[in-house]
Amino acid sequence: MPRPFSAYLRVYEPLSAFDAELAARLRKAVDDGPLTRAEAGDRERELWLRSQLATPPRLLPGELSDGRPAPNAPLDVLVLDPAEVPTSESAAVGPGPLICPLDMRARSAAALVGFLSTSSGVLKAAALTIPADTARTRAGAVMAELSGGAVHVVSTTWTVPLPWFSLVDPDSRHIILAPREDGERQVAWRIAMADARRRVARAHSVVRETLGDNGPARVLKDTGRWLEHFHPHSAVELDYGGLVQLLDDQELLEDTSAQDVHAIVDAMESGDAEQVASRYEQLRDFWGELAGKERLG
């Protein structure tokens, strides 16, 4: 079965960023063996399916039917070595190991709140086994319990939001060209938190001045606020995740999305509208073709 066609923006924090009780549990999870990035998507899919196939169904993965956390729910983590994170002279990362809890229950709660806010009454009635107000209250309570006030992973399906590329150093791409079905196949960037915050702040300022507060500026603003929840010596990872299964080796090697986004920000700052249009057209062609595969699937 293919990995989920999802891309991820993750934060990895030093153990010192967590309270003592959680840090001890995270240390044990690391000692027991963290997940690989390829395994993470499969695990999320497995936990979600288990929650929906249980009798009675669970509202969220990793909990009992009454909404309490399941005592045997796995504490899944990804681990990153600070040595894998390029840094500028003004940024520091670590000490290691750097830990990214998958926060599956809390992420599902956040997704449920979004679903309840945007879906019709008919769809909510079909999807839920409890009243929508009850589901909203339970999901809100789970999110309120989250350590640090924010999940460590945000994801998107079938595409990468273009503003995310403003966080990275285009020249620091990590790429592994394994066969498409191989879980080692990967495209990712790792970024020191200080560098990510600096870049997103600059991009937000430029884009807001050029395009106003909505659209890309809104995404950049929300991303910057999200990053502020975490330890300043954390690392950020932009990972194409399962999207690498949809692109051949040549497409991955010739992908210039990060360079294009940075060039657009520079061109907006200098007022070069022709460069903005040219680079955006390249991005639209590349990601539009990928989005088309969702419709074909």
Side-chain angles (χ1 to χ4, degrees):
M1 181 179 293
R3 284 182 281 165
F5 298 127
S6 298
Y8 304 90
L9 197 61
R10 305 186 182 101
V11 172
Y12 296 75
E13 293 192 275
L15 278 170
S16 59
F18 303 93
D19 64 56
E21 180 181 354
L22 180 54
R25 295 176 59 212
L26 291 170
R27 170 65 73 179
K28 183 178 186 306
V30 172
D31 292 342
D32 289 344
L35 295 175
T36 67
R37 285 157 186 79
E39 291 170 336
D42 291 336
R43 171 78 82 166
E44 292 172 0
R45 177 167 52 196
E46 174 191 354
L47 292 176
W48 176 255
L49 288 174
R50 283 185 181 179
S51 70
Q52 299 309 295
L53 296 175
T55 305
R58 275 46 171 167
L59 181 65
L60 300 170
E63 67 178 22
L64 303 174
S65 59
D66 61 4
R68 290 178 296 146
N72 60 344
L75 180 59
D76 292 320
V77 301
L78 298 174
V79 174
L80 189 62
D81 186 332
E84 300 179 68
V85 185
T87 61
S88 67
E89 293 183 359
S90 60
V93 175
L98 299 171
I99 313 298
C100 176
L102 293 190
D103 297 328
M104 185 61 180
R105 183 166 173 254
R107 287 168 57 204
S108 297
L112 177 58
V113 170
F115 169 78
L116 293 172
S117 300
T118 58
S119 300
S120 67
V122 173
L123 183 57
K124 285 186 281 192
L128 297 172
T129 58
I130 61 176
D133 289 344
T134 303
R136 192 189 310 275
T137 298
R138 282 175 50 178
V142 170
M143 293 170 62
E145 296 169 0
L146 190 65
S147 174
V151 295
H152 288 76
V153 184
V154 291
S155 61
T156 182
T157 56
W158 293 95
T159 190
V160 176
L162 296 180
W164 285 6
F165 288 107
S166 67
L167 279 65
V168 312
D169 175 357
D171 296 328
S172 296
R173 182 174 62 168
H174 176 75
I175 183 168
I176 300 175
L177 295 177
R180 288 201 196 198
E181 67 277 6
D182 191 326
E184 292 300 311
R185 185 175 178 86
Q186 184 183 39
V187 171
W189 288 262
R190 286 80 185 250
I191 316 105
M193 177 61 77
D195 291 334
R197 289 175 178 171
R198 172 177 51 80
R199 290 174 185 142
V200 77
R202 183 237 174 181
H204 176 249
S205 176
V206 171
V207 173
R208 181 184 59 184
E209 182 70 22
T210 306
L211 301 178
D213 289 327
N214 296 318
R218 171 73 66 179
V219 175
L220 289 164
K221 181 178 181 180
D222 290 345
T223 302
R225 286 179 171 176
W226 176 64
L227 294 176
E228 290 295 333
H229 284 91
F230 303 103
H231 193 283
H233 293 171
S234 301
V236 184
E237 180 178 60
L238 171 54
D239 182 3
Y240 276 19
L243 300 186
V244 295
Q245 301 165 112
L246 302 172
L247 299 163
D248 63 33
D249 290 359
Q250 183 175 356
E251 288 172 318
L252 291 180
L253 289 171
E254 295 180 353
D255 171 26
T256 60
S257 296
Q259 290 88 340
D260 291 336
V261 168
H262 280 256
I264 285 173
V265 174
D266 291 342
M268 284 182 174
E269 191 171 44
S270 64
D272 187 346
E274 184 177 345
Q275 175 78 336
V276 171
S278 173
R279 292 283 187 159
Y280 180 73
E281 184 176 356
Q282 290 179 213
L283 289 164
R284 183 185 59 193
D285 290 345
F286 182 84
W287 292 104
E289 183 176 346
L290 195 64
K293 295 180 180 181
E294 177 182 14
R295 293 188 293 271
L296 292 174

